[in-house]
């Protein structure tokens, strides 16, 4: 973490009006360092989100910011055409005093500022069916808004992000290297992943064979990446646009299920509390298919349940890899947290495997 003078220098680089009153660490993201800034201006209080982009995760921050600038400009145009509110329905970048959307600090760290979306909340767990349903409609709709986006102009911000076979390869390397001598303590988890290796190919092979279309997707659709309006309960804004890239609809569907339809937290230690809630699964399925507005092909619809299993499996692999590599990718707040996160994911995979037929029937009901 930076000293307050260094942080002030970063804040001063941005074109923000008024007097800084408060700067607090904010949110529960696993990747970026996020702060909420409060400014006093003649017109009243103005709040902003300041983020230091993770240097471990994002190797090409300038390209990343180019994606975000272009995608938010595109979304704004669509929102305006639909009569929406561009200040609240998408992220709004604040430029630096030099007129660019990022600032580089003296150690080479990349920073950005967004206007804070007021009167809305990001949830870490589903508190009622309707919020989850609304988030599903919004993530589906997000895909639809980007359906004609020129995909070839998007940079791949994290190469092979949802290439699960490649995640498997990296995992095996981490087990081999065992740099922190942690492999001996996680033999059961390693065995589970190896026994399920076939899963990693389910969607990827279909993509290679041309059976599934590549779309512009969000790729990180967990519940705390969407803002729910406090007054109306509607999902107003999809945030965390760092991984908007060409991808599969089943990934976006699946990541929301893995996080939101779980009966426990992602890092729950009591695995008896973890399962896939089929009622929440149904709520989300209905909303997502509606939000996609008939755009999904028959094969894409059929593969949605597999997206849920696969994204859960992939996150399990990624959490365990990070645990073996010394927790340098996902932020942790206690020892062993990435291992706990891995365990919930693997428990969910087993549970979803048992429920696969019901998960397919639910998709059939809404397709
Ligand atoms: P990470 O990649 O680390 O998950 P996010 O971009 O998702 O970072 O931001 C972390 C958290 O900060 C979000 O979950 C949300 O609570 C909050 N947040 C981000 N952007 C905004 C915004 N424009 N307005 C209000 N809250 C925001
Ligand atoms: C990260 O950034 P955040 O916290 O919304 C990660 C996702 C994982 C998720 C697991 C860029 O999401 O891929 O599924 O943690 N984002 C990145 O909770 O790696
Ligand atoms: Mg996030």
């Amino acid at each position: 973490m930076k000293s307050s003078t260094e942080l002030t220098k970063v804040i001063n680089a941005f074109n923000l009006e008024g007097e800084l009153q408060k700067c607090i660490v904010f949110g529960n993201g696993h990747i970026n360092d996020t702060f909420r800034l409060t400014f006093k201006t003649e017109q009243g209080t103005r709040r902003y989100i300041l983020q230091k982009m993770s240097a471990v995760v994002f190797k090409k921050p300038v390209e990343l910011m180019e994606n975000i600038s272009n995608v938010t400009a595109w979304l704004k145009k669509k929102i305006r055409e639909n009569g929406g509110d561009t200040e609240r329905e998408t992220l709004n970048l604040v430029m630096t005093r030099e007129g660019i959307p990022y600032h580089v600090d003296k150690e080479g760290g990349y920073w950005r500022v967004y206007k804070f979306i007021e009167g809305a909340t990001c949830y870490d767990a589903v508190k009622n069916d309707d919020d989850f349903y609304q988030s599903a409609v919004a993530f589906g709709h997000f895909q639809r808004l980007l359906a004609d986006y020129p995909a070839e102009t998007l940079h791949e911000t994290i190469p092979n992000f949802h290439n699960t076979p490649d995640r498997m390869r990296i995992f095996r390397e981490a087990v081999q290297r065992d740099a922190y001598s942690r492999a001996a303590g996680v033999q059961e988890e390693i065995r589970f992943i190896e026994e399920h290796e076939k899963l990693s190919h389910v969607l990827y092979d279909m993509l290679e064979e041309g059976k599934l279309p590549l779309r512009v997707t969000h790729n990180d659709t967990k519940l705390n990446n969407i803002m729910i309006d406090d007054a109306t309960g509607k999902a107003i804004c999809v945030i965390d646009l760092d991984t908007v890239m060409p991808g599969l609809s089943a990934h976006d569907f699946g990541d929301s299920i893995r996080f939101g339809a779980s009966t426990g937290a992602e890092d729950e230690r009591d695995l008896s509390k973890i399962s896939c809630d089929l009622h929440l699964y149904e709520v989300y399925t209905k909303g997502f298919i509606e939000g996609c507005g008939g755009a999904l092909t028959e094969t894409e619809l059929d593969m949605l349940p597999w997206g849920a299993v696969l994204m859960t499996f992939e996150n399990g692999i990624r959490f365990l890899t990070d645990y073996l590599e010394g927790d340098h990718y996902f932020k942790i707040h206690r020892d062993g947290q990435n291992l706990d996160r891995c365990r919930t994911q693997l428990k969910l995979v087993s549970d979803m495997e048992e429920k696969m037929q019901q998960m397919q029937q639910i998709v059939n009901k809404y397709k």
Side-chain angles (χ1 to χ4, degrees):
M1 196 62 64
K2 289 206 158 290
S3 74
S4 65
T5 23
E6 283 173 281
L7 208 49
T8 310
K9 270 192 203 156
V10 170
I11 296 168
N12 284 339
F14 288 88
N15 197 4
L16 300 167
E17 248 181 81
E19 184 196 332
L20 178 65
Q21 289 196 308
K22 211 159 129 191
C23 170
I24 58 161
V25 174
F26 194 78
N28 290 321
H30 292 343
I31 304 295
N32 299 304
D33 292 339
T34 303
F35 305 85
R36 191 189 67 194
L37 309 177
T38 309
F39 275 77
K40 196 171 112 193
T41 76
E42 282 176 9
Q43 293 78 39
T45 301
R46 295 277 180 276
R47 298 200 290 184
Y48 301 92
I49 285 287
L50 168 71
Q51 274 184 331
K52 183 179 187 198
M53 292 166 256
S54 166
V56 173
V57 175
F58 303 112
K59 305 292 183 207
K60 293 183 176 173
V62 177
E63 291 190 352
L64 166 71
M65 289 312 293
E66 197 180 305
N67 274 6
I68 295 194
S69 300
N70 290 338
V71 167
T72 52
W74 175 273
L75 291 171
K76 266 189 208 168
K77 188 168 164 280
K78 297 262 175 179
I79 293 164
R80 214 173 289 122
E81 284 165 8
N82 295 338
D85 178 354
T86 54
E87 290 288 295
R88 293 188 83 228
E89 292 174 30
T90 188
L91 288 171
N92 281 272
L93 282 165
V94 176
M95 298 295 130
T96 62
R97 296 187 190 279
E98 290 169 358
I100 57 168
Y102 57 86
H103 168 72
V104 189
D105 68 25
K106 67 178 194 320
E107 283 140 26
Y110 280 73
W111 297 76
R112 66 183 168 214
V113 170
Y114 291 119
K115 288 185 186 166
F116 189 85
I117 298 169
E118 299 287 351
T121 307
C122 283
Y123 292 100
D124 289 306
V126 172
K127 68 171 182 16
N128 62 50
D129 288 4
D130 196 50
D131 282 355
F132 199 39
Y133 169 77
Q134 295 297 339
S135 78
V137 175
F139 276 129
H141 184 64
F142 181 84
Q143 222 173 83
R144 196 147 49 111
L145 289 180
L146 292 172
D148 48 352
Y149 189 92
E152 67 287 353
T153 64
L154 276 174
H155 303 288
E156 203 178 2
T157 54
I158 305 178
N160 291 315
F161 191 51
H162 289 317
N163 178 342
T164 323
D166 198 54
R167 295 283 183 188
M168 219 29 228
R169 180 187 64 77
I170 295 166
F171 162 72
R172 285 174 170 154
E173 278 176 13
V175 174
Q176 281 301 313
R177 216 175 300 120
D178 194 17
Y180 288 75
S181 306
R182 290 177 171 178
V186 293
Q187 286 302 305
E188 206 181 310
E189 289 75 15
I190 294 174
R191 206 174 313 116
F192 183 98
I193 292 173
E194 286 297 344
E195 279 168 11
H196 286 74
E197 197 257 338
K198 258 197 182 151
L199 258 187
S200 67
H201 290 276
V202 173
L203 294 177
Y204 199 76
D205 290 1
M206 289 181 77
L207 174 67
E208 298 271 275
E209 291 157 14
K211 292 180 182 155
L212 288 170
L214 208 53
R215 300 187 181 275
V216 174
T217 48
H218 183 277
N219 293 304
D220 189 1
T221 53
K222 60 179 180 179
L223 190 64
N224 65 16
N225 285 332
I226 200 151
M227 302 210 59
I228 309 277
D229 192 307
D230 296 335
T232 64
K234 295 261 179 289
I236 47 157
C237 185
V238 172
I239 63 166
D240 204 344
L241 304 178
D242 294 333
T243 51
V244 173
M245 287 184 283
L248 299 178
S249 52
H251 290 150
D252 275 8
F253 173 82
D255 203 24
S256 294
I257 297 297
R258 128 190 127 73
F259 190 84
S262 170
T263 51
E266 192 182 60
D267 61 350
E268 174 60 58
R269 280 190 259 200
D270 179 355
L271 293 182
S272 70
K273 291 187 181 157
I274 300 292
S275 66
C276 176
D277 181 327
L278 284 179
H279 171 67
L280 288 176
Y281 173 89
E282 178 158 358
V283 165
Y284 194 91
T285 302
K286 179 174 185 291
F288 188 77
I289 294 177
E290 279 173 22
C292 288
L296 302 184
T297 65
E298 188 72 14
T299 315
E300 276 182 295
L301 287 161
D302 289 342
M303 294 314 286
L304 291 180
W306 285 104
V309 186
L310 192 72
M311 288 306 293
T312 313
F313 184 56
E314 188 185 283
N315 271 277
I317 297 175
R318 292 174 64 196
F319 288 138
L320 191 57
T321 304
D322 201 30
Y323 175 73
L324 291 168
E325 289 180 340
D327 308 301
H328 65 260
Y329 186 100
F330 297 105
K331 278 182 198 298
I332 54 163
H333 309 285
R334 57 176 159 81
D335 285 348
Q337 196 173 7
N338 274 322
L339 176 57
D340 294 335
R341 289 171 179 154
C342 159
R343 287 180 169 148
T344 61
Q345 303 306 291
L346 302 188
K347 171 82 195 286
L348 273 175
V349 169
S350 296
D351 189 52
M352 288 179 187
E353 281 180 323
E354 281 172 26
K355 293 174 176 164
M356 188 39 119
Q357 221 182 344
Q358 288 146 282
M359 287 163 67
Q360 279 164 337
Q361 279 161 0
I362 291 170
V363 168
N364 290 340
K365 192 168 151 188
Y366 294 101
K367 78 179 192 188

